[in-house]
Amino acid sequence: MKKRDFIKSGFYAVGGMSLLSASACSNSAVQKPSTATNAASTAAASKINKREKVLAVLDRSKPNKYVPAAFFLHFKDKLGQGAIDSHIQYFRATNMDFVKVQYEIALPLNEDIKSPKDWAKIPVYTKEFFEPQLEVIGALAKELKSEALIIPTVYSPLSLAQQTVGAAALEHSRQDPDAVAAGYQNITESIVNYITEAVNRGADGFYISTQGGNSKGFGETELFAKLVVPYDTAILQAASDKALVNILHICDYGESYYTDISRFTSFTASIINAPNRYLDGSSIKLSDVQATFDRPVMGGLDRLGIIAKGTPEQVKAEVDRVLSEAPQNFILGADCTVPGDTPLQNLRTAIDYAHDWRLNN
């Protein structure tokens, strides 16, 4: 379905299209589930058009009866055929509802950047720089696009600035925000080049991460408005212009929390993947996220909690808790990338259990 046809279809609810990006986590190859997958469940799952099931979440005139679900982890093989195979195996093993493509291309550390004024030396990277990642996207689209949406990850300009500048990135940004803006602009243009070519290779949308508005970043200072908002929103708008559906990931990876997420309501996105808690430890309720953003929501599970450490029965109980409190238009997931050693049986259990939960409860 083309974007213009989708908009006319009534599925597309609000706010354009967009997404955000993921975080780092421990690495792991895809393991085989610890128990045999139920054959009947596999046969039933093969008949489901997962593209339609995820897009149906955007029709906010009614609750989605089928609850899509997806969890993400990093693989041992970052790029090449190993990464392609790992993504396919993981998609099959977990029965997740869209293909989330991990982003594994780092900007090279530029040791010539020693002061804020040096940020102008950060180049604009063309699609050729991202080619190894684009090859993974293209191969996954060729294999799986008929079954499920292809959703690559997009990291934020701040995240990529920290890759190329190193530990001094935040310090430079505070010292001379006007000078470092040239670097943020070039990184933003690089990301847009990646997004544009990813769509050409078969991406249906993006999982776009925003960082910098949290406690270990710029918080609620003027630097958030100056160095996060304009560049993140430019990326989200570019994704909205080119892609079918995008997810905004408000990232709190590394125990760096937010005091308020309502400031992100102006960010263009189809679906909101929010953190589970604020800086003061209070919970961020899923129903409040949908009310605040007026958009469908994804998440609910703590990436480091029961999904990573519990038994399958404990996982079901946690899914019961989350879905009993979830808004009507919802995708089950975690607040960020799960650890690489998370048992695949836990992930498969959560996903399969979520699919029919509203039909059974």
Side-chain angles (χ1 to χ4, degrees):
M1 184 184 294
K2 295 182 179 179
K3 177 180 176 181
R4 63 177 178 271
D5 299 326
F6 178 56
I7 293 173
K8 292 177 182 177
S9 74
F11 275 160
Y12 190 67
V14 311
M17 309 169 179
S18 197
L19 124 151
L20 1 140
S21 164
S23 334
C25 79
S26 55
N27 300 324
S28 173
V30 175
Q31 317 105 319
K32 294 181 179 179
S34 59
T35 62
T37 302
N38 181 276
S41 174
T42 301
S46 67
K47 299 178 181 180
I48 294 172
N49 186 319
K50 294 182 176 182
R51 296 177 64 88
E52 293 179 0
K53 294 297 186 181
V54 173
L55 294 178
V57 175
L58 303 183
D59 179 7
R60 294 188 300 119
S61 67
K62 56 188 177 183
N64 52 294
K65 295 295 185 183
Y66 175 98
V67 180
F71 299 92
F72 326 129
L73 53 77
H74 289 275
F75 305 109
K76 180 179 179 180
D77 293 313
K78 305 300 183 187
L79 299 166
Q81 191 61 47
I84 295 165
D85 292 342
S86 293
H87 278 84
I88 294 171
Q89 292 164 11
Y90 180 75
F91 173 76
R92 300 287 188 215
T94 62
N95 196 28
M96 61 191 282
D97 288 283
F98 58 85
V99 181
K100 197 269 200 178
V101 187
Q102 295 298 103
Y103 178 83
E104 303 291 4
I105 294 281
L107 297 192
L109 180 65
N110 190 333
E111 296 182 353
D112 291 333
I113 300 177
K114 302 182 184 300
S115 72
K117 292 182 180 179
D118 293 332
W119 281 53
K121 299 176 183 178
I122 297 174
V124 174
Y125 291 92
T126 64
K127 64 182 183 181
E128 286 74 20
F129 173 82
F130 300 102
E131 183 59 29
Q133 187 69 69
L134 293 165
E135 288 178 355
V136 174
I137 294 169
L140 292 173
K142 183 177 180 181
E143 178 71 20
L144 300 173
K145 189 179 177 74
S146 63
E147 300 177 45
L149 297 168
I150 308 298
I151 308 289
T153 302
V154 177
Y155 282 3
S156 70
L158 175 59
S159 178
L160 297 191
Q162 290 173 314
Q163 291 178 358
T164 195
V165 177
L170 288 175
E171 180 184 352
H172 287 179
S173 297
R174 294 186 179 103
Q175 286 175 356
D176 193 342
D178 291 328
V180 301
Y184 282 106
Q185 178 61 40
N186 288 351
I187 293 172
T188 298
E189 291 180 26
S190 301
I191 295 171
V192 171
N193 289 338
Y194 166 62
I195 287 172
T196 300
E197 187 58 23
V199 171
N200 292 338
R201 302 294 180 95
D204 293 293
F206 299 93
Y207 181 84
I208 301 173
S209 180
T210 183
Q211 286 133 336
N214 43 8
S215 57
K216 292 183 180 178
F218 304 130
E220 297 186 54
T221 67
E222 292 181 1
L223 290 178
F224 171 77
K226 188 176 184 67
L227 297 179
V228 173
V229 173
Y231 304 111
D232 282 15
T233 54
I235 289 164
L236 288 160
Q237 189 59 54
S240 172
D241 291 342
K242 295 173 174 62
L244 187 62
V245 56
N246 299 291
I247 304 167
L248 174 63
H249 171 57
I250 303 173
C251 184
D252 67 351
Y253 183 80
E255 297 185 353
S256 184
Y257 302 109
Y258 297 85
T259 58
D260 176 29
I261 62 171
S262 64
R263 72 186 103 159
F264 296 102
T265 55
S266 64
F267 284 30
T268 304
S270 313
I271 299 167
I272 306 301
N273 179 215
N276 288 336
R277 63 188 61 85
Y278 288 113
L279 180 61
D280 64 5
S282 60
S283 297
I284 299 176
K285 295 181 179 179
L286 295 167
S287 57
D288 290 344
V289 176
Q290 179 157 309
T292 298
F293 286 85
D294 195 25
R295 275 163 276 184
V297 176
M298 176 179 175
L301 293 178
D302 181 346
R303 64 186 180 273
L304 302 178
I306 289 173
I307 192 69
K309 302 174 183 177
T311 66
E313 288 307 310
Q314 289 173 324
V315 168
K316 287 183 179 180
E318 185 68 357
V319 173
D320 283 334
R321 182 192 66 79
V322 170
L323 292 183
S324 68
E325 300 172 355
Q328 67 173 14
N329 301 101
F330 184 67
I331 299 174
L332 182 73
D335 51 340
C336 201
T337 308
V338 301
D341 59 356
T342 300
L344 285 194
Q345 190 64 30
N346 282 2
L347 302 175
R348 178 71 187 234
T349 296
I351 291 167
D352 285 348
Y353 190 57
H355 286 164
D356 297 327
W357 192 91
R358 284 182 171 165
L359 297 176
N360 298 326
N361 291 272

